[in-house]
Amino acid sequence: MNYYTKRKILNLFFPVRCPVCNELIAGNDRFCTECTEKITSYTGSFHINGASESFAVFEYNKEILPAVHLLKNGSCGNSAYAFGACLADVLKNNGISGKIDIIVPVPLSESSRRKRGYNQSFLIAEAIGAEINKPVRCSVRKIRETKEQKTLSREERKLNLKNAFEVTENISGKRILLIDDITTTGSTLSEIAVLLRKSGAENVICSVVMKVEKKKTGT
């Protein structure tokens, strides 16, 4: 059963709602019109070690926060589809579908996945794969628990993730699109991108739904 058929069946039993405000929307809609106008597109740029290109679709701010909570609290709703489809638009506009062979989601540890019930990055990757017609492969596994990245400094984040992932299959020569939901410093993406390249990937492109911008401080 393909991705869109599954969505149609689910929509018969669970009406589609805007992941930001919870208003009912059409089955193929991402957000309601009002929330679409409020959400801020990401217009900056960022670099991830090990990756040739990096993309984000939204700024992480209070307007999009309800959808983030929905994605991470174990219910998900329409958020993964909305985020994945929007990110797919950015990737298509930048010609990325012709530069990749497979889509790889950033993994959760097994205990975290069981607790939440799903890996949100996988669900986003699945939506992207359906939009750009590329396969999703869980080629990376998280092999140990780590502290929450948001509680750590930049240097602590790097140490926290050291040797936390392993490649689970032959990716030699593959051009990979690495997907995550949110990035701040890029430590997680960098750790995995470098690992993928060391494991034989020809190229890695990173893409996230939201980029957290560092707050500017006064002088």
Side-chain angles (χ1 to χ4, degrees):
M1 186 183 300
N2 70 32
Y3 180 81
Y4 293 109
T5 301
K6 287 191 289 185
R7 272 191 60 82
K8 286 179 181 178
I9 293 172
L10 284 172
N11 291 350
L12 293 174
F13 300 97
F14 304 100
V16 178
R17 294 180 179 273
C18 173
V20 174
C21 70
N22 205 39
E23 288 295 315
L24 285 170
I25 55 178
N28 290 324
D29 285 352
R30 301 163 184 184
F31 304 95
C32 71
T33 302
E34 184 177 346
C35 289
T36 298
E37 293 174 352
K38 289 181 180 179
I39 297 171
T40 306
S41 296
Y42 181 75
T43 58
S45 62
F46 60 103
H47 173 70
I48 301 296
N49 290 336
S52 62
E53 299 176 82
S54 304
F55 299 92
V57 62
F58 298 122
E59 285 186 13
Y60 180 85
N61 57 31
K62 66 178 182 179
E63 302 297 347
I64 206 166
L65 200 55
V68 177
H69 289 160
L70 189 67
L71 186 68
K72 290 181 175 289
N73 71 7
S75 55
C76 188
N78 195 50
S79 55
Y81 167 74
F83 287 152
C86 289
L87 189 45
D89 287 347
V90 171
L91 297 171
K92 286 186 284 188
N93 290 339
N94 285 277
I96 299 305
S97 58
K99 299 180 181 180
I100 63 166
D101 301 309
I102 60 174
I103 303 171
V104 175
V106 167
L108 292 176
S109 66
E110 186 57 29
S111 61
S112 295
R113 191 199 63 78
R114 285 198 303 268
K115 183 178 180 180
R116 183 169 293 162
Y118 56 83
N119 175 4
Q120 72 276 9
S121 295
F122 173 82
L123 297 182
I124 293 167
E126 192 176 34
I128 294 169
E131 290 284 333
I132 67 174
N133 195 31
K134 295 292 180 179
V136 178
R137 301 296 298 267
C138 295
S139 304
V140 179
R141 178 172 62 186
K142 192 170 187 180
I143 55 177
R144 66 174 178 83
E145 290 289 347
T146 55
K147 296 178 181 178
E148 282 194 70
Q149 289 287 90
K150 65 183 180 181
T151 66
L152 306 174
S153 68
R154 180 182 288 270
E155 289 305 314
E156 288 172 334
R157 290 177 187 224
K158 293 178 182 179
L159 292 173
N160 186 46
L161 295 169
K162 195 71 175 175
N163 300 321
F165 303 98
E166 70 176 7
V167 174
T168 60
E169 61 183 358
N170 182 10
I171 56 166
S172 180
K174 295 294 185 182
R175 301 173 300 167
I176 295 173
L177 176 65
L178 181 62
I179 297 294
D180 205 1
D181 55 350
I182 304 171
T183 190
T184 303
T185 65
S187 297
T188 301
L189 291 169
S190 179
E191 183 73 19
I192 298 174
V194 170
L195 174 64
L196 289 169
R197 291 302 307 276
K198 287 181 178 178
S199 300
E202 179 182 320
N203 189 36
V204 178
I205 295 172
C206 291
S207 193
V208 298
V209 177
M210 286 158 282
K211 177 70 173 70
V212 180
E213 291 291 75
K214 186 176 180 180
K215 292 182 179 179
K216 295 179 180 180
T217 57
T219 56

